[in-house]
Amino acid sequence: MASGSVGGGGSLSEVYSSAKRILLKARDGIERLERFESSSMDSPDLASSVKRDITEVRSLCSNMDALWRSIHVKSQRDLWRRKTEQVGEEAEYLNQSLEKYMLRNQRKMLEAKERADLLGRASGEGAHIMQIFDEEAQAMNSVKNSKRMLEESFSSGVAILSKYAEQRDRLKRAQRKALDVLNTVGLSNSVLRLIERRNRVDTWIKYAGMIATLVILYFFIRWTR
């Protein structure tokens, strides 16, 4: 077994044993990180620890490379060269696995942030849409209230006109009786024409009021549709 040492760093066998032990620890850390990833968990402390272990193994590989080159026996030198290369290759493989894990984790975190931003924007737009709906509902309620008030006003107007027509009929009957009395006493024709003209004016007022009310209601109903 090689017994060479560099700068008090230990024999080649000791450095190799330390490198293998740390590689085993780093490999176990990579496996744990992959298990965490499959269960949607994250462990940044463990990833940092694995990174330090790989860096340490690389440093030990540099020591081993200097140690095996100092061995004089060719067969021993070739053996330790292959072992050093194997340790370096395994350290490189673990480092690539760690970098792939970190890239996947970063991509996952970026996607989660984008989803959160999208949900935030959707929530804000939803609130704006709800506000528009509320304003539309308030406008519709206002229109309904106005329509109801106009319908009530129209009903009141119709009732007033009907009552006015009844009063007019009673007044007309009274006027006829008065005309009969006046005719009997010989009232002039000019006074009689004045009374008839007043009756016609009252009739036109009644029909004009009814038509105006109907026109207003018609245009309001078309506007609210």
Side-chain angles (χ1 to χ4, degrees), residues 33-77:
L33 286 174
E34 292 175 348
R35 287 196 299 269
F36 288 153
E37 183 181 16
S38 62
S39 59
S40 300
M41 296 176 61
D42 186 22
S43 180
D45 293 339
L46 179 58
S48 298
S49 176
V50 172
K51 184 66 176 177
R52 288 193 298 270
D53 290 340
I54 294 174
T55 300
E56 186 175 357
V57 170
R58 284 175 166 176
S59 177
L60 292 175
C61 278
S62 296
N63 291 342
M64 291 173 63
D65 187 68
L67 288 171
W68 71 259
R69 292 178 186 277
S70 65
I71 299 175
H72 299 291
V73 180
K74 184 177 183 303
S75 59
Q76 290 291 318
R77 187 169 63 250

Short mmCIF file of all heavy atoms in Angstrom, two decimals, residues 33-77:
data_model
loop_
_atom_site.label_atom_id
_atom_site.label_comp_id
_atom_site.label_asym_id
_atom_site.label_seq_id
_atom_site.Cartn_x
_atom_site.Cartn_y
_atom_site.Cartn_z
N LEU A 33 -32.39 14.59 -1.29
CA LEU A 33 -32.93 15.75 -2.02
C LEU A 33 -33.94 15.31 -3.08
O LEU A 33 -34.99 15.95 -3.27
CB LEU A 33 -31.79 16.53 -2.69
CG LEU A 33 -30.91 17.37 -1.77
CD1 LEU A 33 -29.73 17.95 -2.55
CD2 LEU A 33 -31.71 18.50 -1.11
N GLU A 34 -33.65 14.21 -3.79
CA GLU A 34 -34.57 13.72 -4.81
C GLU A 34 -35.86 13.21 -4.19
O GLU A 34 -36.94 13.36 -4.77
CB GLU A 34 -33.88 12.63 -5.63
CG GLU A 34 -32.75 13.17 -6.50
CD GLU A 34 -32.00 12.08 -7.22
OE1 GLU A 34 -32.20 10.89 -6.86
OE2 GLU A 34 -31.20 12.41 -8.13
N ARG A 35 -35.78 12.62 -2.99
CA ARG A 35 -37.00 12.18 -2.30
C ARG A 35 -37.83 13.40 -1.89
O ARG A 35 -39.06 13.39 -2.02
CB ARG A 35 -36.67 11.32 -1.08
CG ARG A 35 -36.18 9.93 -1.44
CD ARG A 35 -36.23 9.02 -0.23
NE ARG A 35 -35.39 9.49 0.87
CZ ARG A 35 -34.12 9.14 1.03
NH1 ARG A 35 -33.54 8.33 0.15
NH2 ARG A 35 -33.43 9.59 2.05
N PHE A 36 -37.15 14.42 -1.38
CA PHE A 36 -37.87 15.65 -1.02
C PHE A 36 -38.55 16.25 -2.25
O PHE A 36 -39.68 16.74 -2.17
CB PHE A 36 -36.90 16.67 -0.41
CG PHE A 36 -36.43 16.33 0.97
CD1 PHE A 36 -35.21 16.77 1.44
CD2 PHE A 36 -37.22 15.54 1.80
CE1 PHE A 36 -34.78 16.45 2.71
CE2 PHE A 36 -36.79 15.21 3.08
CZ PHE A 36 -35.57 15.66 3.54
N GLU A 37 -37.86 16.21 -3.38
CA GLU A 37 -38.42 16.79 -4.60
C GLU A 37 -39.67 16.06 -5.04
O GLU A 37 -40.65 16.68 -5.48
CB GLU A 37 -37.36 16.75 -5.71
CG GLU A 37 -37.82 17.42 -7.01
CD GLU A 37 -36.76 17.33 -8.09
OE1 GLU A 37 -35.83 16.52 -7.93
OE2 GLU A 37 -36.86 18.07 -9.07
N SER A 38 -39.68 14.74 -4.93
CA SER A 38 -40.85 13.96 -5.34
C SER A 38 -42.05 14.22 -4.44
O SER A 38 -43.19 14.03 -4.85
CB SER A 38 -40.51 12.47 -5.33
OG SER A 38 -40.17 12.04 -4.00
N SER A 39 -41.81 14.67 -3.21
CA SER A 39 -42.90 14.98 -2.29
C SER A 39 -43.16 16.48 -2.18
O SER A 39 -43.77 16.94 -1.24
CB SER A 39 -42.60 14.41 -0.90
OG SER A 39 -41.39 14.94 -0.39
N SER A 40 -42.64 17.25 -3.19
CA SER A 40 -42.85 18.71 -3.26
C SER A 40 -42.31 19.43 -2.03
O SER A 40 -42.89 20.41 -1.56
CB SER A 40 -44.34 19.02 -3.45
OG SER A 40 -44.82 18.44 -4.63
N MET A 41 -41.18 18.95 -1.51
CA MET A 41 -40.53 19.61 -0.38
C MET A 41 -39.19 20.18 -0.84
O MET A 41 -38.66 19.81 -1.90
CB MET A 41 -40.32 18.63 0.78
CG MET A 41 -41.62 18.10 1.38
SD MET A 41 -41.32 16.85 2.66
CE MET A 41 -40.37 17.81 3.86
N ASP A 42 -38.65 21.08 -0.02
CA ASP A 42 -37.38 21.71 -0.36
C ASP A 42 -36.50 21.74 0.88
O ASP A 42 -36.99 21.86 2.00
CB ASP A 42 -37.62 23.13 -0.88
CG ASP A 42 -36.32 23.75 -1.39
OD1 ASP A 42 -35.40 22.99 -1.71
OD2 ASP A 42 -36.26 24.99 -1.45
N SER A 43 -35.16 21.57 0.67
CA SER A 43 -34.22 21.59 1.78
C SER A 43 -32.95 22.32 1.33
O SER A 43 -31.96 21.68 0.95
CB SER A 43 -33.89 20.16 2.25
OG SER A 43 -32.99 20.20 3.33
N PRO A 44 -32.96 23.64 1.38
CA PRO A 44 -31.78 24.39 0.93
C PRO A 44 -30.55 24.12 1.79
O PRO A 44 -29.43 24.14 1.29
CB PRO A 44 -32.23 25.85 1.04
CG PRO A 44 -33.40 25.84 1.98
CD PRO A 44 -34.06 24.53 1.80
N ASP A 45 -30.74 23.84 3.08
CA ASP A 45 -29.59 23.55 3.95
C ASP A 45 -28.91 22.26 3.53
O ASP A 45 -27.67 22.17 3.51
CB ASP A 45 -30.05 23.45 5.41
CG ASP A 45 -30.54 24.79 5.94
OD1 ASP A 45 -30.15 25.83 5.37
OD2 ASP A 45 -31.31 24.79 6.93
N LEU A 46 -29.70 21.24 3.19
CA LEU A 46 -29.13 19.97 2.75
C LEU A 46 -28.40 20.14 1.43
O LEU A 46 -27.31 19.57 1.24
CB LEU A 46 -30.24 18.91 2.62
CG LEU A 46 -29.79 17.53 2.15
CD1 LEU A 46 -28.74 16.94 3.09
CD2 LEU A 46 -31.01 16.60 2.04
N ALA A 47 -28.95 20.90 0.52
CA ALA A 47 -28.28 21.14 -0.77
C ALA A 47 -26.94 21.84 -0.56
O ALA A 47 -25.94 21.50 -1.22
CB ALA A 47 -29.18 21.97 -1.68
N SER A 48 -26.90 22.80 0.34
CA SER A 48 -25.64 23.49 0.63
C SER A 48 -24.62 22.54 1.24
O SER A 48 -23.42 22.60 0.93
CB SER A 48 -25.90 24.66 1.58
OG SER A 48 -26.77 25.61 0.99
N SER A 49 -25.08 21.64 2.11
CA SER A 49 -24.18 20.67 2.73
C SER A 49 -23.58 19.72 1.69
O SER A 49 -22.38 19.41 1.71
CB SER A 49 -24.93 19.87 3.80
OG SER A 49 -24.10 18.87 4.36
N VAL A 50 -24.43 19.26 0.75
CA VAL A 50 -23.93 18.37 -0.31
C VAL A 50 -22.90 19.09 -1.17
O VAL A 50 -21.88 18.53 -1.57
CB VAL A 50 -25.11 17.87 -1.17
CG1 VAL A 50 -24.59 17.10 -2.39
CG2 VAL A 50 -26.02 16.97 -0.34
N LYS A 51 -23.16 20.37 -1.45
CA LYS A 51 -22.23 21.15 -2.26
C LYS A 51 -20.87 21.26 -1.55
O LYS A 51 -19.81 21.13 -2.21
CB LYS A 51 -22.82 22.55 -2.50
CG LYS A 51 -21.97 23.42 -3.42
CD LYS A 51 -21.92 22.86 -4.83
CE LYS A 51 -21.16 23.78 -5.76
NZ LYS A 51 -21.04 23.21 -7.13
N ARG A 52 -20.89 21.48 -0.26
CA ARG A 52 -19.62 21.56 0.48
C ARG A 52 -18.88 20.23 0.46
O ARG A 52 -17.64 20.19 0.33
CB ARG A 52 -19.89 22.00 1.93
CG ARG A 52 -20.29 23.45 2.06
CD ARG A 52 -20.22 23.89 3.53
NE ARG A 52 -21.15 23.13 4.35
CZ ARG A 52 -22.42 23.49 4.59
NH1 ARG A 52 -22.90 24.60 4.05
NH2 ARG A 52 -23.21 22.76 5.37
N ASP A 53 -19.62 19.13 0.59
CA ASP A 53 -18.99 17.80 0.56
C ASP A 53 -18.31 17.54 -0.78
O ASP A 53 -17.17 17.02 -0.84
CB ASP A 53 -20.03 16.70 0.83
CG ASP A 53 -20.52 16.72 2.27
OD1 ASP A 53 -19.81 17.29 3.13
OD2 ASP A 53 -21.62 16.19 2.54
N ILE A 54 -18.98 17.89 -1.88
CA ILE A 54 -18.41 17.67 -3.20
C ILE A 54 -17.15 18.52 -3.39
O ILE A 54 -16.14 18.06 -3.95
CB ILE A 54 -19.45 17.98 -4.29
CG1 ILE A 54 -20.60 16.96 -4.22
CG2 ILE A 54 -18.81 17.97 -5.68
CD1 ILE A 54 -21.76 17.27 -5.15
N THR A 55 -17.19 19.76 -2.90
CA THR A 55 -16.02 20.63 -2.99
C THR A 55 -14.85 20.05 -2.20
O THR A 55 -13.69 20.09 -2.66
CB THR A 55 -16.37 22.03 -2.45
OG1 THR A 55 -17.44 22.58 -3.23
CG2 THR A 55 -15.16 22.96 -2.53
N GLU A 56 -15.17 19.49 -1.05
CA GLU A 56 -14.10 18.88 -0.24
C GLU A 56 -13.50 17.66 -0.92
O GLU A 56 -12.28 17.44 -0.89
CB GLU A 56 -14.66 18.50 1.14
CG GLU A 56 -13.58 18.00 2.09
CD GLU A 56 -14.12 17.73 3.50
OE1 GLU A 56 -15.32 18.00 3.73
OE2 GLU A 56 -13.33 17.27 4.36
N VAL A 57 -14.35 16.84 -1.55
CA VAL A 57 -13.85 15.67 -2.27
C VAL A 57 -12.93 16.09 -3.41
O VAL A 57 -11.88 15.47 -3.67
CB VAL A 57 -15.02 14.82 -2.79
CG1 VAL A 57 -14.51 13.72 -3.75
CG2 VAL A 57 -15.76 14.18 -1.63
N ARG A 58 -13.30 17.14 -4.11
CA ARG A 58 -12.45 17.63 -5.20
C ARG A 58 -11.08 18.07 -4.67
O ARG A 58 -10.04 17.85 -5.32
CB ARG A 58 -13.14 18.79 -5.90
CG ARG A 58 -14.26 18.36 -6.84
CD ARG A 58 -14.99 19.55 -7.42
NE ARG A 58 -15.84 19.18 -8.54
CZ ARG A 58 -16.65 20.02 -9.18
NH1 ARG A 58 -16.70 21.30 -8.78
NH2 ARG A 58 -17.37 19.61 -10.19
N SER A 59 -11.11 18.70 -3.50
CA SER A 59 -9.84 19.11 -2.90
C SER A 59 -8.99 17.89 -2.53
O SER A 59 -7.76 17.87 -2.75
CB SER A 59 -10.11 19.96 -1.66
OG SER A 59 -8.91 20.32 -1.02
N LEU A 60 -9.64 16.85 -2.00
CA LEU A 60 -8.91 15.62 -1.65
C LEU A 60 -8.38 14.94 -2.91
O LEU A 60 -7.30 14.33 -2.88
CB LEU A 60 -9.83 14.68 -0.88
CG LEU A 60 -10.24 15.14 0.52
CD1 LEU A 60 -11.25 14.18 1.14
CD2 LEU A 60 -9.01 15.26 1.43
N CYS A 61 -9.13 15.03 -4.01
CA CYS A 61 -8.65 14.46 -5.27
C CYS A 61 -7.35 15.14 -5.73
O CYS A 61 -6.44 14.50 -6.27
CB CYS A 61 -9.71 14.59 -6.36
SG CYS A 61 -10.97 13.30 -6.30
N SER A 62 -7.28 16.44 -5.51
CA SER A 62 -6.05 17.16 -5.87
C SER A 62 -4.88 16.64 -5.04
O SER A 62 -3.75 16.45 -5.56
CB SER A 62 -6.23 18.66 -5.65
OG SER A 62 -7.24 19.19 -6.51
N ASN A 63 -5.13 16.40 -3.74
CA ASN A 63 -4.07 15.84 -2.89
C ASN A 63 -3.68 14.45 -3.34
O ASN A 63 -2.48 14.09 -3.40
CB ASN A 63 -4.55 15.79 -1.43
CG ASN A 63 -4.70 17.17 -0.82
OD1 ASN A 63 -4.15 18.16 -1.33
ND2 ASN A 63 -5.45 17.26 0.27
N MET A 64 -4.70 13.63 -3.67
CA MET A 64 -4.41 12.27 -4.12
C MET A 64 -3.62 12.27 -5.42
O MET A 64 -2.73 11.43 -5.63
CB MET A 64 -5.72 11.50 -4.31
CG MET A 64 -6.45 11.18 -3.00
SD MET A 64 -8.08 10.45 -3.30
CE MET A 64 -7.62 8.93 -4.13
N ASP A 65 -3.94 13.20 -6.29
CA ASP A 65 -3.23 13.27 -7.57
C ASP A 65 -1.75 13.56 -7.35
O ASP A 65 -0.87 12.98 -8.02
CB ASP A 65 -3.86 14.37 -8.43
CG ASP A 65 -3.30 14.39 -9.83
OD1 ASP A 65 -3.56 13.44 -10.60
OD2 ASP A 65 -2.59 15.36 -10.17
N ALA A 66 -1.45 14.44 -6.39
CA ALA A 66 -0.04 14.73 -6.09
C ALA A 66 0.63 13.55 -5.41
O ALA A 66 1.81 13.28 -5.64
CB ALA A 66 0.03 15.97 -5.19
N LEU A 67 -0.14 12.79 -4.60
CA LEU A 67 0.44 11.65 -3.86
C LEU A 67 0.76 10.48 -4.78
O LEU A 67 1.84 9.87 -4.67
CB LEU A 67 -0.51 11.21 -2.74
CG LEU A 67 -0.61 12.17 -1.53
CD1 LEU A 67 -1.74 11.75 -0.61
CD2 LEU A 67 0.72 12.19 -0.77
N TRP A 68 -0.18 10.12 -5.65
CA TRP A 68 0.11 8.93 -6.47
C TRP A 68 1.25 9.19 -7.46
O TRP A 68 1.96 8.27 -7.87
CB TRP A 68 -1.14 8.42 -7.18
CG TRP A 68 -1.68 9.26 -8.33
CD1 TRP A 68 -2.73 10.10 -8.31
CD2 TRP A 68 -1.19 9.30 -9.68
NE1 TRP A 68 -2.95 10.67 -9.53
CE2 TRP A 68 -2.00 10.18 -10.41
CE3 TRP A 68 -0.12 8.67 -10.35
CZ2 TRP A 68 -1.79 10.47 -11.75
CZ3 TRP A 68 0.07 8.95 -11.69
CH2 TRP A 68 -0.76 9.84 -12.39
N ARG A 69 1.43 10.46 -7.84
CA ARG A 69 2.54 10.76 -8.75
C ARG A 69 3.91 10.60 -8.08
O ARG A 69 4.93 10.46 -8.77
CB ARG A 69 2.40 12.19 -9.28
CG ARG A 69 1.20 12.39 -10.20
CD ARG A 69 1.07 13.83 -10.66
NE ARG A 69 -0.14 14.04 -11.41
CZ ARG A 69 -0.31 13.79 -12.71
NH1 ARG A 69 0.74 13.30 -13.41
NH2 ARG A 69 -1.46 14.00 -13.32
N SER A 70 3.91 10.60 -6.74
CA SER A 70 5.18 10.46 -6.02
C SER A 70 5.55 9.00 -5.77
O SER A 70 6.60 8.71 -5.19
CB SER A 70 5.12 11.21 -4.69
OG SER A 70 4.15 10.63 -3.83
N ILE A 71 4.67 8.06 -6.16
CA ILE A 71 4.95 6.63 -5.96
C ILE A 71 5.91 6.16 -7.05
O ILE A 71 5.70 6.42 -8.24
CB ILE A 71 3.64 5.82 -5.99
CG1 ILE A 71 2.71 6.28 -4.85
CG2 ILE A 71 3.92 4.32 -5.88
CD1 ILE A 71 1.35 5.61 -4.87
N HIS A 72 6.93 5.41 -6.63
CA HIS A 72 7.96 4.97 -7.58
C HIS A 72 7.59 3.68 -8.27
O HIS A 72 7.98 3.46 -9.42
CB HIS A 72 9.31 4.82 -6.86
CG HIS A 72 9.80 6.11 -6.25
ND1 HIS A 72 10.22 7.18 -7.02
CD2 HIS A 72 9.92 6.50 -4.94
CE1 HIS A 72 10.58 8.17 -6.21
NE2 HIS A 72 10.41 7.78 -4.95
N VAL A 73 6.86 2.81 -7.59
CA VAL A 73 6.51 1.51 -8.19
C VAL A 73 5.39 1.76 -9.20
O VAL A 73 4.31 2.27 -8.85
CB VAL A 73 6.06 0.51 -7.12
CG1 VAL A 73 5.69 -0.82 -7.76
CG2 VAL A 73 7.17 0.32 -6.08
N LYS A 74 5.61 1.36 -10.45
CA LYS A 74 4.66 1.68 -11.52
C LYS A 74 3.30 1.05 -11.30
O LYS A 74 2.26 1.68 -11.53
CB LYS A 74 5.24 1.23 -12.86
CG LYS A 74 4.36 1.61 -14.05
CD LYS A 74 5.01 1.20 -15.35
CE LYS A 74 4.16 1.66 -16.55
NZ LYS A 74 2.80 1.14 -16.51
N SER A 75 3.27 -0.23 -10.87
CA SER A 75 1.98 -0.89 -10.68
C SER A 75 1.15 -0.20 -9.60
O SER A 75 -0.07 0.00 -9.74
CB SER A 75 2.21 -2.36 -10.31
OG SER A 75 2.97 -2.46 -9.11
N GLN A 76 1.82 0.20 -8.50
CA GLN A 76 1.12 0.92 -7.44
C GLN A 76 0.69 2.31 -7.92
O GLN A 76 -0.40 2.79 -7.60
CB GLN A 76 2.04 1.05 -6.22
CG GLN A 76 2.29 -0.26 -5.50
CD GLN A 76 1.02 -0.76 -4.81
OE1 GLN A 76 0.28 0.02 -4.20
NE2 GLN A 76 0.78 -2.06 -4.91
N ARG A 77 1.55 2.93 -8.69
CA ARG A 77 1.23 4.27 -9.19
C ARG A 77 -0.01 4.21 -10.12
O ARG A 77 -0.91 5.05 -10.03
CB ARG A 77 2.43 4.86 -9.93
CG ARG A 77 2.20 6.32 -10.33
CD ARG A 77 3.50 6.97 -10.82
NE ARG A 77 4.02 6.33 -12.03
CZ ARG A 77 5.14 5.58 -12.08
NH1 ARG A 77 5.87 5.38 -10.99
NH2 ARG A 77 5.54 5.03 -13.23
#
